[in-house]
Amino acid sequence: VQVVVATTEAGAAVGLVVDEIVDITQVHLALRSVGTEPGVVGSMVVQGRVSDLLDLDALASCSGVVTEVGRVA
């Protein structure tokens, strides 16, 4: 079973395929480190687990799938 997390970013629909959803929570943003890879803003500890924070605009641009809002390559 594949899980897709869907959201809207800059007016375009974006879906991310993930292995599983461990938890959903609301927390105050407090970065522990700054991301060094394209598409990763940084990481932080959420409920005792290290979580990467993703930059959806950068991921969409790197993928080559979305070239502009509403246009698919």
Side-chain angles (χ1 to χ4, degrees), residues 19-69:
D19 293 330
E20 67 178 316
I21 297 174
V22 177
D23 196 4
I24 299 172
T25 186
Q26 292 183 357
V27 297
H28 293 284
L29 188 62
L31 288 175
R32 297 286 183 199
S33 65
V34 177
T36 57
E37 297 180 37
V40 179
V41 175
S43 61
M44 62 184 283
V45 177
V46 178
Q47 296 182 345
R49 295 183 175 169
V50 177
S51 300
D52 288 332
L53 303 174
L54 304 179
D55 179 345
L56 297 181
D57 282 335
L59 289 173
S61 295
C62 291
S63 72
V65 175
V66 178
T67 57
E68 295 178 23
V69 174

Side-chain angles (χ1 to χ4, degrees), residues 1-5 16-21:
V1 174
Q2 290 185 325
V3 179
V4 177
V5 177
L16 301 172
V17 177
V18 298
D19 293 330
E20 67 178 316
I21 297 174

